[in-house]
Amino acid sequence: MRGRTHLTIGLLAAAGAVALRPDLTGYSLTGVVVAGVAALAPDLDEPNSRLGRDLSFDPRYFRFGLLLLGALVGAWAWYRLDLTLLARQQAALGALALGVAGAAFSSEKTGRRVMLAFTGVLLLGAALWVQWSWLAVLGVFVAGSPFLGHRTLTHTLWAAALWAWICQGAARTLHDPGIFWLGTLGYLSHLVADSLTKARVKWLAPLWSQPLGLPLLRTGSPRGNAVERIIIGLLLLAVALAWAARLLGRLA
C-alpha cells in the first residue's frame, strides 16, 4: 500500500486502541505519534519511501560535497604545494577516489541508502552516549534496513517482535506504556495492510517463504487506490463507533 495509506491506518488503529483501552488514555498522544512512525517503519527497506526520505539527509548535497572535496584535493596537490611526485600521485589518486564516490551518488536510491545508514549511525552513537540499548537497536534497524530487499526481513513477524522490544525499551525509559502498545500495533498494521496487496507478505521468512494474505488490490492502480479508500473508510467508521460506545458508556 501507499505510504499515506499506511500512516492513516496506523493512526486510526492507535486511536481505536485508545478507545478500547481506557488505561492508555493518559498516554494517547505520544503513543499515537509513535504508532504513525511505526506504521511507516517496515518500508525503511525502500530508501525512497515516505519515512526513508524524512529520516535521511538529501544525498544531492553529500554528492556535491564529495565532488567539491575531490576537486579541492586535486588542486591543492597539483598547484599549491611543493610535493614530491609520489605525494602528488597519491593526492591525485585520493581526489579521483572522492570523485568516483561522488559520482556513485548519481543514483538517488544509493544516496538515500547511505544517508539512512548515516542516520542510523548517529542514533547508535547517541545510544552509546546515553546508554540506552533500545535506541542502539533502533539505530542498527535504521542503518541496516535500506540494504535489504523490499518486503523481506522488515516485513516479517520477527521484525515486528524486534520493533516491539524497541518500543518496550522506549516505554520503560520514558515511563509511557502507550509507546509499547501503540507502537507495536502501528508496525503490525503495516504488515496486515500489505497482506491485502497482490504481493502479500512473507510473515515467517526465511523459515517459510510462502506469502500470506488476501490479495485484494494492486498498489498504485486505480482500483487499488479505491480499495485503499474503502478500507480507510471502514476503519474510520469502526474507530468512530468505538469512541461513541466509550463516551456513551461514560455518560450512562
Side-chain angles (χ1 to χ4, degrees):
M1 288 189 177
R2 295 171 297 174
R4 63 171 175 256
T5 302
H6 281 303
L7 177 61
T8 304
I9 290 175
L11 292 174
L12 286 175
V18 171
L20 298 174
R21 287 281 305 273
D23 56 308
L24 293 179
T25 301
Y27 310 98
S28 59
L29 181 59
T30 305
V32 169
V33 171
V34 172
V37 174
L40 298 174
D43 276 347
L44 283 175
D45 60 7
E46 173 49 59
N48 288 324
S49 66
R50 180 179 295 269
L51 186 60
R53 293 194 302 270
D54 290 341
L55 284 181
S56 66
F57 302 91
D58 194 325
R60 291 176 298 178
Y61 300 113
F62 191 73
R63 180 173 67 244
F64 175 77
L66 284 175
L67 293 173
L68 178 61
L69 182 59
L72 291 175
V73 169
W76 172 76
W78 201 256
Y79 298 108
R80 296 289 183 180
L81 295 181
D82 184 17
L83 299 175
T84 65
L85 180 59
L86 178 60
R88 281 184 176 177
Q89 289 174 340
Q90 290 172 340
L93 183 61
L96 180 62
L98 288 169
V100 170
F105 279 78
S106 58
S107 167
E108 177 155 348
K109 197 166 188 177
T110 300
R112 290 288 179 192
R113 282 194 178 102
V114 175
M115 293 295 97
L116 271 173
F118 181 60
T119 300
V121 170
L122 289 179
L123 288 173
L124 183 58
L128 295 175
W129 179 262
V130 297
Q131 297 184 338
W132 290 349
S133 58
W134 63 268
L135 185 60
V137 175
L138 178 61
V140 173
F141 185 95
V142 171
S145 294
F147 299 96
L148 302 172
H150 187 45
R151 286 202 185 183
T152 54
L153 289 179
T154 61
H155 287 67
T156 63
L157 193 59
W158 329 119
L162 179 64
W163 187 266
W165 184 88
I166 293 171
C167 290
Q168 184 183 42
R172 189 167 52 249
T173 299
L174 302 176
H175 307 289
D176 186 345
I179 292 176
F180 169 67
W181 293 107
L182 302 182
T184 302
L185 179 63
Y187 199 99
L188 288 172
S189 75
H190 184 113
L191 302 189
V192 172
D194 273 353
S195 296
L196 301 178
T197 65
K198 296 290 185 180
R200 295 175 290 171
V201 169
K202 299 177 181 178
W203 283 77
L204 300 176
L207 297 182
W208 191 40
S209 297
Q210 179 66 31
L212 303 173
L214 185 62
L216 295 179
L217 61 97
R218 187 181 302 279
T219 303
S221 68
R223 180 179 177 276
N225 295 341
V227 173
E228 287 183 15
R229 287 192 289 270
I230 291 172
I231 292 172
I232 289 174
L234 292 174
L235 185 57
L236 180 60
L237 177 61
V239 171
L241 291 174
W243 273 101
R246 176 176 170 179
L247 295 175
L248 290 174
R250 182 182 296 176
L251 294 175

